[in-house]
Amino acid sequence: MSQSNPIKSEHLKAQKLLLDWFEKEGRHHLPWRNTRDVYRVLVSEIMLQQTQAERVAKDYYPHFLKSYPTISDLAKASLDDVLSHWSGLGYYVRARNLHKLAKICQKRVPQNMQDLQKLPGVGRYTASAVCSFALEQSVAVVDTNIKRVLLRYFGLHEQNLVLEFANSFLNHKDSRRHNLALMDLGSLICVPKNPTCKDCPLNITCKGRENPELFTLKKPVQYENMELFLGVNIRNKKLALVRSSSKLYNGLYLLPQVDPVEENFLGSFKHSYTKYRLKVNLYKSFDLVKGAKYFTYEELQDAPISSMTKKALKFINF
Ligand code: SF4
């Protein structure tokens, strides 16, 4: 007589409970959940790296796809135009990589893990998300939320075991919804602090539920303080901005750097950008700025500028 494998049957029960929960509580309204278009899913995944889903869903994703509905449209666009669509979203290297990627692909995004990972800015996670969410391939997806759920559910202390456990727990019959369900569980229930285990569909068999935070890996964030001295140079109602070629806001237009002269000091403000904690000091500047482009107020509305520059413009009331 054949005996059933207890681990397998525990997995099957948990998978079913997870999918039932997802059906009722999942974030089905997110626009990229209702498409199988590889390009659209890829855009959403790149935007979602480092940015909250609701923010991407509300503003950036629809606006970006309205301007670039296909990968060919994105490939034909100028980098400046793409960066201006990314304005305020931060981590601009993502926009540059997406643009580069579109130029490489031209018409068709690759349809498998291996080829996707050869593209700029696409790692294992993004490739797996595209393969699972757009192409419905049976592949385990592990983002930060899923990693936290699996660490706790299986009572793991070692991060490098997560992918192995994700693979063994993967529901091959409904892998797309399984991955999305785990992602939403991590985002809505199994949150970093004080998870609501009583509402969790996995709470009966979860090994970490007595002490969830014991299985949460904390990554210390290393902030870098930086002080900037920027000039406000206005000629004929146009403001001078220079294209940044440094790692800070690379490719975007910024106020030019100046030597600080106390009598020209206008004021300062604080701004956070990725790992940087910035103190931005503004000074009046009078000489024509070499290499600068002068923008009218109207031109600035569509220019590729960062939220720091927008804050500075507000500060000087331009
Ligand atoms: S029972 Fe608690 S710790 Fe375990 S997966 Fe659910 S929310 Fe996370």
Side-chain angles (χ1 to χ4, degrees), residues 266-277:
L266 290 169
S268 61
F269 62 88
K270 292 198 168 127
H271 186 73
S272 297
Y273 174 64
T274 62
K275 63 173 183 168
Y276 299 104
R277 295 291 171 266

Side-chain angles (χ1 to χ4, degrees), residues 174-230:
D174 203 344
S175 55
R176 180 180 186 272
R177 288 199 319 132
H178 172 90
N179 286 323
L180 290 171
L182 280 176
M183 197 174 262
D184 285 2
L185 191 68
S187 174
L188 303 171
I189 301 277
C190 194
V191 292
K193 279 191 182 163
N194 306 320
T196 45
C197 300
K198 68 175 180 41
D199 299 327
C200 176
L202 304 182
N203 62 12
I204 297 168
T205 39
C206 175
K207 292 193 171 56
R209 72 174 183 277
E210 298 303 331
N211 198 349
E213 285 173 32
L214 193 67
F215 304 101
T216 304
L217 299 179
K218 292 176 188 74
K219 210 167 102 195
V221 186
Q222 303 273 346
Y223 291 113
E224 210 175 293
N225 291 319
M226 197 185 264
E227 191 159 10
L228 300 177
F229 303 93
L230 304 178

Side-chain angles (χ1 to χ4, degrees), residues 142 147 151 156-167 217:
V142 180
K147 188 185 285 177
L151 281 168
L156 306 173
H157 289 287
E158 287 174 64
Q159 237 185 119
N160 56 9
L161 293 176
V162 173
L163 185 57
E164 194 185 306
F165 278 78
N167 282 326
L217 299 179

Side-chain angles (χ1 to χ4, degrees), residues 14-284:
Q15 287 166 351
K16 178 162 185 331
L17 289 168
L18 182 65
L19 289 185
D20 290 347
W21 172 85
F22 177 66
E23 202 52 42
K24 285 192 221 120
E25 310 289 342
R27 295 177 296 174
H28 307 291
H29 65 285
L30 295 172
W32 47 88
R33 297 264 174 105
N34 300 313
T35 178
R36 299 293 187 276
D37 184 303
V38 180
Y39 163 69
R40 286 173 178 245
V41 172
L42 180 63
V43 168
S44 74
E45 286 303 331
I46 290 178
M47 285 189 168
L48 289 166
Q49 295 164 7
Q50 324 278 355
T51 311
Q52 284 184 338
E54 298 300 337
R55 205 169 149 229
V56 171
K58 191 166 162 269
D59 305 321
Y60 291 94
Y61 180 76
H63 179 52
F64 195 89
L65 288 176
K66 199 171 172 211
S67 299
Y68 317 118
T70 67
I71 193 156
S72 318
D73 296 314
L74 182 59
K76 280 183 225 144
S78 72
L79 179 60
D80 267 7
D81 202 30
V82 176
L83 286 171
S84 78
H85 280 73
W86 212 268
S87 181
L89 198 53
Y91 292 91
Y92 294 91
V93 68
R94 294 179 297 170
R96 282 193 292 278
N97 278 336
L98 190 54
H99 187 237
K100 219 185 281 174
L101 170 163
K103 285 191 174 298
I104 295 169
C105 299
Q106 290 291 334
K107 286 199 172 103
R108 190 170 182 267
V109 181
Q111 315 262 310
N112 63 69
M113 289 282 290
Q114 213 186 358
D115 291 340
L116 276 162
Q117 284 177 89
K118 290 180 189 156
L119 296 172
V122 178
R124 194 217 168 260
Y125 165 73
T126 305
S128 66
V130 169
C131 287
S132 176
F133 304 151
L135 299 161
E136 304 201 38
Q137 293 172 7
S138 201
V139 47
V141 174
V142 180
D143 75 339
T144 322
N145 283 322
I146 294 181
K147 188 185 285 177
R148 185 171 55 254
V149 173
L150 295 177
L151 281 168
R152 290 169 172 175
Y153 184 69
F154 290 107
L156 306 173
H157 289 287
E158 287 174 64
Q159 237 185 119
N160 56 9
L161 293 176
V162 173
L163 185 57
E164 194 185 306
F165 278 78
N167 282 326
S168 75
F169 189 44
L170 185 65
N171 180 345
H172 290 280
K173 288 194 181 136
D174 203 344
S175 55
R176 180 180 186 272
R177 288 199 319 132
H178 172 90
N179 286 323
L180 290 171
L182 280 176
M183 197 174 262
D184 285 2
L185 191 68
S187 174
L188 303 171
I189 301 277
C190 194
V191 292
K193 279 191 182 163
N194 306 320
T196 45
C197 300
K198 68 175 180 41
D199 299 327
C200 176
L202 304 182
N203 62 12
I204 297 168
T205 39
C206 175
K207 292 193 171 56
R209 72 174 183 277
E210 298 303 331
N211 198 349
E213 285 173 32
L214 193 67
F215 304 101
T216 304
L217 299 179
K218 292 176 188 74
K219 210 167 102 195
V221 186
Q222 303 273 346
Y223 291 113
E224 210 175 293
N225 291 319
M226 197 185 264
E227 191 159 10
L228 300 177
F229 303 93
L230 304 178
V232 176
N233 187 289
I234 300 173
R235 288 172 175 258
N236 302 325
K237 296 189 181 162
K238 292 182 174 188
L239 179 73
L241 296 180
V242 288
R243 178 91 80 172
S244 166
S245 56
S246 74
K247 62 182 176 177
L248 185 70
Y249 298 119
N250 189 1
L252 299 186
Y253 282 100
L254 303 177
L255 290 167
Q257 296 202 28
V258 289
D259 291 327
V261 176
E262 209 181 322
E263 66 203 47
N264 295 334
F265 183 61
L266 290 169
S268 61
F269 62 88
K270 292 198 168 127
H271 186 73
S272 297
Y273 174 64
T274 62
K275 63 173 183 168
Y276 299 104
R277 295 291 171 266
L278 305 171
K279 183 177 178 204
V280 183
N281 302 293
L282 299 175
Y283 293 83
K284 274 186 258 169

